[in-house]
């Protein structure tokens, strides 16, 4: 097949096919006497596998994965693909755990008394994070403790503790600080964690979509492994 044949078969442009070959995602094409590239069936399978992987795990991981498969042993290559499925499963698990945490937080009463005020050390221990993480969240405007006494020690009341728990849940689910900041800003206006829950549920939908994309790429990946096997 010529380059444009591969492009038509995969939905990519001619230049994209050449770029994938240059990056090692597609093995080098044979060259005809006139210097034109000559592709075979396994080249088409590799391009299709890349497209499916890119939808499932992103183009960077997809490039790294496909480029590595051509040099890997069959056990190592199969383990690489299995790890991609495991990674998506782990994302789903952490997101579900964050949702459960938020649901538990939402069920708690909003009012508290003096005994509900925690120090930074007590709150860090309760959340299972370092005190430096709490200081960083404060610097980013995610959690706002009070300052008490002549030493201006941090004191976390019920509202600050709840905010810290939501931040901890989102961070544990893999959300970057900017995304957490947007969620916390929305929460301040609403007074409840519904925005965070909506974000996590949207994440679950995205993970499901990516998981299906990885399953669809499975047949092409199996063909790639067969082609790469010595």
């Amino acid at each position: 097949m010529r380059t444009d044949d591969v492009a038509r078969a995969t939905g990519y442009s001619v230049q994209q096919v050449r770029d994938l070959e240059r990056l090692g995602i597609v093995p080098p094409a044979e060259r005809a006497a006139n210097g034109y590239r000559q592709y075979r069936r396994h080249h088409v399978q590799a391009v299709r596998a890349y497209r499916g992987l890119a939808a499932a795990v992103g183009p960077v991981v997809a490039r790294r994965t496909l480029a590595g498969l051509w040099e890997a042993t069959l056990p190592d290559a199969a383990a690489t693909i299995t790890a991609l499925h495991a990674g998506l499963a782990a994302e789903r698990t952490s997101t579900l755990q964050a949702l459960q945490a938020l649901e538990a937080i939402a069920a708690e009463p909003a009012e508290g008394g003096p005994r509900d005020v925690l120090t930074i050390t007590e709150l860090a221990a309760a959340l299972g994070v370092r005190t430096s993480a709490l200081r960083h969240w404060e610097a980013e405007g995610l959690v706002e403790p009070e300052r008490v006494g002549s030493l201006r020690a941090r004191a976390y009341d019920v509202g600050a503790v709840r905010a810290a728990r939501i931040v901890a849940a989102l961070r544990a689910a893999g959300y970057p600080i900017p995304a957490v900041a947007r969620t916390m800003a929305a929460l301040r206006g609403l007074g409840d964690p519904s925005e965070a829950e909506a974000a996590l549920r949207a994440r679950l939908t995205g993970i499901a979509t990516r998981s299906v994309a990885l399953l669809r790429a499975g047949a092409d990946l199996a063909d790639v492994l067969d082609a790469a096997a010595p």
Side-chain angles (χ1 to χ4, degrees), residues 117-198:
V117 176
L118 301 180
T119 67
I120 188 171
T121 302
E122 291 169 338
L123 181 56
L127 296 177
V129 301
R130 296 177 182 274
T131 55
S132 58
L134 288 171
R135 294 189 184 96
H136 179 54
W137 298 348
E138 180 184 352
E140 294 290 339
L142 307 179
V143 181
E144 300 175 352
E146 295 181 7
R147 295 302 188 103
V148 298
S150 59
L151 296 178
R152 303 287 292 165
R154 293 172 174 85
Y156 297 83
D157 61 13
V158 171
V161 170
R162 172 175 289 193
R165 292 177 67 185
I166 293 173
V167 172
L170 292 172
R171 291 291 288 152
Y175 278 77
I177 289 294
V180 176
R182 289 192 295 271
T183 299
M184 297 309 293
L187 285 176
R188 290 189 188 98
L190 296 175
D192 63 56
S194 60
E195 285 290 331
E197 290 183 18

Side-chain angles (χ1 to χ4, degrees), residues 60-226:
V60 175
V61 175
R63 286 196 295 268
R64 183 170 63 244
T65 299
L66 262 297
L69 291 184
W70 297 110
E71 303 296 331
T73 63
L74 182 58
D76 288 344
T80 297
I81 303 304
T82 300
L84 296 179
H85 286 281
L88 285 173
E91 281 190 52
R92 184 176 185 275
T93 297
S94 65
T95 303
L96 285 172
Q97 290 173 340
L99 264 175
Q100 291 169 356
L102 288 176
E103 288 168 357
I105 292 166
E108 294 174 351
E111 295 80 12
R115 287 178 296 178
D116 296 304
V117 176
L118 301 180
T119 67
I120 188 171
T121 302
E122 291 169 338
L123 181 56
L127 296 177
V129 301
R130 296 177 182 274
T131 55
S132 58
L134 288 171
R135 294 189 184 96
H136 179 54
W137 298 348
E138 180 184 352
E140 294 290 339
L142 307 179
V143 181
E144 300 175 352
E146 295 181 7
R147 295 302 188 103
V148 298
S150 59
L151 296 178
R152 303 287 292 165
R154 293 172 174 85
Y156 297 83
D157 61 13
V158 171
V161 170
R162 172 175 289 193
R165 292 177 67 185
I166 293 173
V167 172
L170 292 172
R171 291 291 288 152
Y175 278 77
I177 289 294
V180 176
R182 289 192 295 271
T183 299
M184 297 309 293
L187 285 176
R188 290 189 188 98
L190 296 175
D192 63 56
S194 60
E195 285 290 331
E197 290 183 18
L200 287 169
R201 294 190 187 282
R203 187 182 184 90
L204 282 176
T205 301
I207 293 170
T209 300
R210 292 162 57 205
S211 296
V212 171
L214 186 54
L215 290 172
R216 286 175 176 159
D220 290 316
L221 286 168
D223 288 337
V224 167
L225 296 186
D226 288 339

